[in-house]
Amino acid sequence: MTEWDPDRPVDFAEAEEFLRACYTELPKLGPVEPRLAVVREQIAALGTYTHTHAELVHGARMAWRNASRCIGRVYWRSLTVLDRRQHRAPDQIFDDLVSHLHTATGEGHNRGKLRGVISIFGQAVPGRPVTRLWNDQLIRYAGYRSGDGMTGDPQYEQFTSAVTRLGWTGKGSAFDLLPLVLQTGDGEPRLYELPESAVMEVPLAHPEYGWFAELGLRWHAVPAIANMRLSIGGVDYPLAPFSGWYMGTEIGARNLADAHRYNQIPVVAARLGLDTSSESTLWRDRALVELNRAVLWSFERAGVRVTDHHSESRLFLTHVERERRAGRATPADWTWIVPPISGGLTPVFHRYYTEADQRPNFYLDRSAQ
Amino acid sequence: MTEWDPDRPVDFAEAEEFLRACYTELPKLGPVEPRLAVVREQIAALGTYTHTHAELVHGARMAWRNASRCIGRVYWRSLTVLDRRQHRAPDQIFDDLVSHLHTATGEGHNRGKLRGVISIFGQAVPGRPVTRLWNDQLIRYAGYRSGDGMTGDPQYEQFTSAVTRLGWTGKGSAFDLLPLVLQTGDGEPRLYELPESAVMEVPLAHPEYGWFAELGLRWHAVPAIANMRLSIGGVDYPLAPFSGWYMGTEIGARNLADAHRYNQIPVVAARLGLDTSSESTLWRDRALVELNRAVLWSFERAGVRVTDHHSESRLFLTHVERERRAGRATPADWTWIVPPISGGLTPVFHRYYTEADQRPNFYLDRSAQ
Ligand code: HEM
Ligand code: HEM
């Protein structure tokens, strides 16, 4: 992928392609020709153009629909779009991110009924500084190294050191919520502590094994990716965090299981009393399944929306078929769509997909990694 | 992939590329220049050339080394090559295939100590008819449909019908060995029954669950792929069956588990007494692990060489590293290398690979599918 250049003017051809698709899919928007004329003039005069609210909403949904690594795309039409384009000051952005989490988590008796939400902040304008969030997700846990040992999430050790240098102090637990860091242009980075009320968490227990709760594992309810640029019709939105709900495997087969993350497979296997003297006892696979059972069971018990990889694989194929009937291809990246546990058992394993880069879409820039 | 044309003359450039690589890797073969001169003349005169025995052996090993879907390539240097280029009549080919199975399985007190073996039959010569094997593997089980039900391997239902039309009668069990079918040019296909002594099988039982043996499951010891064309330095060997040993997942997570194969996950889950009322109990994943434990345990108990996906993934990365040190890339197809169970737990999951089509290699022609 070529690196994004924030100072490049918008390409009218890309704007036109998006607008034609958008107005064809949404007949209620009326004819596209007058709109194209306006956009052409705006680009000629300013090097960019602005989306109407309806274009923004549908463009974000199309971007999700085109996200070839996402297995959850059957829900694309239901994305809630929070239009935050007017809000540029860090304090205001932070308030908006907190309200994103409230909307995404659900409030009152709806708490836990997660919704797909995206917050779209100001578009990139040639020559104007961009406000960036350092975090790759809105909610993540700190990682601390002490001698040979590690507490928390090793993936965030560097990030944790960086915010510590900026004056942050963690409690040193395995699940300390990291602060958000916002930075405008070359200005000073600013730290913001997430209020507890905005972060729903689920303590993990197991339907059969009482000792599981003693491991003290937990995870946050809302996965909110915050470091991808949203690109719609040639216009880029560098800050556009989005969130859905978890597929259990992301927690149970990656975040808590990966050797370079919480590395809980040996711990669970030891508690299960498995024979770890040889790989062929499949002790890793057995511990993995129990860890994933605990995740799904705990989320369901806490009333937090979550999905499993079997159901979601089937829904994804329903989506592919629906899209086909609507005359659209569904580009998909097999290596991301097939879940990291029991891949062969899921119907998504047994077929190939096209891999085209269709726009609108989400992009990860090197500078944001 | 473009379809293979058996009547196309050998491309000298491809011959040269192979010979240079081969003679560089094997200095004991001496200088390549005189050999290139001979080959150039042979191609000019006959449209093709013949490999020396040493070239054939090393070419086959290179083809294995380049097989981007194979996780077992760490063993590439140890491939036993049976040079069967002189044998063209079906009866003789059949005898050679039987002796392939004996060599691959091991004999006497070595029975079960499987070895990597390839039998290479006559090269394709423009205008001369090719003898083809209908079977995709040397050892496979028949599949019979009766009303709504299915006995045996559904993947071979069509093949079973075809050989039945040729006069074969199966016992109607779930694990009837299919006959081999050889056909020369447009001639009559000929049926050959494999002798029992050539086919080692393993009845499946479980280290903990006594009832598992009652399922009556079994599998053959030797996986022998027979429908791929071996291509070395521009010369094609249409019949070149090869065999190694199983990675347990091929049996436990595909052949016996796939819904379109033996479909044993619901059966095993029922015996385990799992709650199948919801996908989120992960009953499929639990049954899958127990089925795979049974496969590995039974093969080990029977003294039949087998490997598990954890050990083999690590060995594969050792191989990639060794090849890198030898100055060679290891093209790999992620979707085949990552095992169909607990993918995320294996180190091969957490990286990308190059995907180049390097020759020598094995190819599946449409006409052989
Ligand atoms: C509604 C429930 C959702 C589910 C169950 C879901 C599921 C997933 C999963 C399992 C992944 C792979 C994650 C990984 O392995 O790291 C993924 C990736 C992704 N999803 Fe979704 N998703 C959902 C909502 C959304 C929404 C609302 C958007 C955007 C509007 C979205 C866009 C993406 C993108 C861009 C990726 C790739 C991320 C990357 O490259 O790191 N998803 N999704
Ligand atoms: C020695 C032990 C071996 C192991 C453990 C091993 C392992 C594997 C596995 C797990 C697969 C994927 C099979 C599937 O998912 O259907 C595979 C594919 C393959 N292997 Fe190996 N292999 C071995 C020996 C060999 C040998 C001796 C050769 C050739 C000389 C070979 C060439 C290939 C090729 C060409 C494929 C791809 C087959 C296709 O496209 O259908 N392998 N191997």
Side-chain angles (χ1 to χ4, degrees):
Chain A
M1 185 174 36
T2 53
E3 189 69 340
W4 172 52
D5 172 7
D7 287 334
R8 200 187 35 149
V10 170
D11 176 7
F12 177 71
E14 205 178 323
E16 180 176 7
E17 194 195 339
F18 161 65
L19 291 167
R20 287 195 186 279
C22 180
Y23 283 66
T24 305
E25 292 184 24
L26 298 181
K28 67 165 195 251
L29 297 184
V32 72
E33 299 301 336
R35 177 66 180 137
L36 287 175
V38 170
V39 165
R40 190 193 305 269
E41 280 172 25
Q42 279 198 351
I43 293 176
L46 309 171
T48 187
Y49 70 106
T50 53
H51 290 126
T52 65
H53 182 76
E55 289 163 8
L56 188 76
V57 169
H58 198 66
R61 291 177 177 162
M62 289 170 77
W64 184 7
R65 198 175 73 198
N66 288 332
S68 58
R69 295 170 159 185
C70 180
I71 196 174
R73 286 179 277 166
V74 72
Y75 312 104
W76 71 273
R77 282 179 192 283
S78 68
L79 181 67
T80 297
V81 178
L82 301 177
D83 182 348
R84 308 299 199 194
R85 289 179 292 175
Q86 303 315 316
H87 304 178
R88 299 192 148 265
D91 288 1
Q92 176 106 58
I93 291 176
F94 172 67
D95 287 347
D96 288 336
L97 294 176
V98 170
S99 82
H100 178 122
L101 290 177
H102 283 298
T103 307
T105 311
E107 293 182 278
H109 70 278
N110 280 326
R111 194 163 155 90
K113 300 222 172 81
L114 274 42
R115 291 201 273 163
V117 178
I118 187 169
S119 294
I120 306 178
F121 294 90
Q123 73 190 66
V125 176
R128 205 199 274 187
V130 163
T131 298
R132 285 218 176 261
L133 184 69
W134 282 16
N135 311 62
D136 63 350
Q137 296 210 12
L138 296 185
I139 309 176
R140 286 273 121 155
Y141 299 114
Y144 312 92
R145 183 169 302 280
S146 51
D148 283 354
M150 188 77 216
T151 303
D153 193 338
Q155 182 162 301
Y156 293 94
E157 194 203 336
Q158 259 197 303
F159 188 94
T160 305
S161 304
V163 292
T164 302
R165 279 193 299 276
L166 293 177
W168 183 76
T169 326
K171 291 195 289 293
S173 90
F175 297 97
D176 287 353
L177 289 175
L178 284 168
L180 298 181
V181 183
L182 283 160
Q183 183 173 26
T184 306
D186 300 330
E188 287 295 305
R190 291 163 171 244
L191 251 69
Y192 296 89
E193 209 58 75
L194 283 169
E196 269 182 35
S197 67
V199 182
M200 189 172 187
E201 290 181 277
V202 180
L204 301 186
H206 191 283
E208 274 179 58
Y209 304 115
W211 51 259
F212 197 98
E214 294 162 20
L215 301 178
L217 301 176
R218 55 199 293 116
W219 205 257
H220 53 89
V222 176
I225 296 185
N227 63 344
M228 297 186 86
R229 167 173 51 91
L230 169 61
S231 174
I232 303 177
V235 173
D236 289 289
Y237 298 95
L239 184 58
F242 57 83
S243 62
W245 49 89
Y246 268 113
M247 186 158 88
T249 58
E250 297 177 75
I251 303 167
R254 303 297 316 276
N255 301 343
L256 294 177
D258 279 356
H260 56 280
R261 302 290 301 283
Y262 278 86
N263 196 20
Q264 291 297 301
I265 296 300
V267 177
V268 173
R271 289 290 195 126
L272 283 166
L274 301 182
D275 171 5
T276 60
S277 66
S278 150
E279 290 293 355
S280 68
T281 65
L282 301 189
W283 61 271
R284 292 182 199 275
D285 311 73
R286 294 170 74 188
L288 180 66
V289 173
E290 298 310 331
L291 181 52
N292 279 276
R293 280 177 76 195
V295 168
L296 290 170
W297 187 78
S298 305
F299 270 62
E300 289 178 359
R301 187 182 61 158
V304 174
R305 190 166 185 177
V306 70
T307 183
D308 68 84
H309 49 295
H310 302 290
S311 309
E312 208 59 32
S313 293
R314 276 200 292 272
L315 282 171
F316 180 69
L317 293 187
T318 305
H319 166 67
V320 171
E321 175 54 22
R322 257 189 223 159
E323 286 293 297
R324 197 192 57 75
R325 270 188 267 117
R328 290 189 292 259
T330 299
D333 179 339
W334 196 98
T335 65
W336 280 65
I337 296 292
V338 171
I341 165 172
S342 307
L345 281 190
T346 61
V348 291
F349 182 97
H350 301 275
R351 47 164 296 165
Y352 288 101
Y353 306 94
T354 57
E355 294 205 13
D357 172 25
Q358 291 180 176
R359 307 205 171 182
N361 215 324
F362 295 97
Y363 296 94
L364 188 61
D365 298 316
R366 223 169 306 140
S367 54
Q369 276 170 20
Chain B
M1 187 175 30
T2 53
E3 189 68 343
W4 173 52
D5 172 8
D7 287 336
R8 204 187 32 149
V10 169
D11 176 7
F12 176 72
E14 205 177 324
E16 178 176 7
E17 194 194 339
F18 160 66
L19 291 166
R20 287 195 185 279
C22 181
Y23 282 66
T24 305
E25 292 184 23
L26 298 181
K28 67 166 195 251
L29 296 185
V32 71
E33 299 300 338
R35 177 67 181 136
L36 287 175
V38 171
V39 166
R40 190 194 304 271
E41 279 171 26
Q42 279 198 351
I43 294 176
L46 309 171
T48 187
Y49 71 106
T50 52
H51 290 127
T52 65
H53 182 75
E55 289 163 5
L56 188 75
V57 170
H58 198 66
R61 291 177 178 162
M62 289 169 77
W64 184 7
R65 197 175 73 196
N66 287 332
S68 56
R69 293 169 161 186
C70 180
I71 196 173
R73 285 179 276 166
V74 73
Y75 313 104
W76 71 273
R77 280 180 193 282
S78 69
L79 182 67
T80 297
V81 179
L82 302 177
D83 182 347
R84 309 301 200 193
R85 289 179 292 174
Q86 303 314 318
H87 305 176
R88 303 195 143 264
D91 288 1
Q92 177 104 59
I93 292 175
F94 172 69
D95 287 348
D96 289 334
L97 294 176
V98 170
S99 81
H100 177 121
L101 289 177
H102 283 297
T103 308
T105 311
E107 293 182 277
H109 70 278
N110 280 326
R111 194 165 156 86
K113 301 223 170 84
L114 274 43
R115 291 203 274 163
V117 178
I118 187 168
S119 294
I120 307 179
F121 294 90
Q123 72 189 69
V125 177
R128 206 198 275 186
V130 164
T131 298
R132 286 217 176 260
L133 184 69
W134 283 16
N135 311 61
D136 63 350
Q137 297 210 12
L138 296 185
I139 310 176
R140 285 273 120 154
Y141 300 114
Y144 312 92
R145 182 170 302 281
S146 52
D148 284 354
M150 188 77 216
T151 303
D153 194 339
Q155 183 163 301
Y156 294 93
E157 195 203 335
Q158 259 196 301
F159 188 94
T160 305
S161 305
V163 292
T164 302
R165 279 193 300 274
L166 293 177
W168 183 77
T169 326
K171 292 196 289 292
S173 89
F175 297 97
D176 286 355
L177 290 176
L178 284 168
L180 298 181
V181 183
L182 284 159
Q183 182 173 26
T184 306
D186 300 330
E188 288 294 304
R190 290 161 171 249
L191 250 69
Y192 297 89
E193 210 57 75
L194 284 169
E196 268 182 36
S197 67
V199 182
M200 188 171 189
E201 290 181 276
V202 180
L204 301 187
H206 190 282
E208 273 180 61
Y209 304 116
W211 51 259
F212 197 98
E214 294 163 18
L215 300 178
L217 300 176
R218 56 199 292 116
W219 206 256
H220 52 90
V222 177
I225 297 185
N227 64 344
M228 296 185 87
R229 167 172 51 90
L230 169 61
S231 175
I232 301 176
V235 173
D236 289 289
Y237 298 95
L239 185 57
F242 57 82
S243 61
W245 48 90
Y246 268 114
M247 185 159 88
T249 58
E250 297 178 76
I251 303 166
R254 303 297 315 277
N255 301 344
L256 294 177
D258 279 356
H260 56 280
R261 301 291 299 284
Y262 279 85
N263 196 21
Q264 292 297 302
I265 296 299
V267 177
V268 174
R271 289 290 196 126
L272 285 167
L274 302 182
D275 172 4
T276 60
S277 66
S278 150
E279 291 293 355
S280 68
T281 65
L282 300 189
W283 61 271
R284 293 183 198 275
D285 311 73
R286 293 170 73 189
L288 180 66
V289 173
E290 298 311 331
L291 181 52
N292 279 277
R293 279 177 76 195
V295 168
L296 291 170
W297 186 79
S298 306
F299 270 61
E300 289 178 0
R301 187 182 59 157
V304 174
R305 189 166 186 178
V306 70
T307 183
D308 68 82
H309 49 295
H310 302 290
S311 310
E312 208 58 33
S313 293
R314 275 199 293 269
L315 283 171
F316 180 69
L317 293 187
T318 304
H319 167 67
V320 171
E321 175 55 22
R322 259 189 220 159
E323 287 293 297
R324 196 192 57 74
R325 269 187 268 119
R328 291 188 292 260
T330 299
D333 179 339
W334 196 99
T335 66
W336 281 64
I337 295 293
V338 171
I341 166 173
S342 308
L345 280 190
T346 61
V348 291
F349 183 96
H350 301 276
R351 47 165 295 165
Y352 287 100
Y353 306 95
T354 57
E355 295 205 13
D357 172 24
Q358 290 180 178
R359 304 200 175 189
N361 215 324
F362 295 97
Y363 296 94
L364 188 60
D365 298 317
R366 223 170 306 138
S367 53
Q369 279 170 18

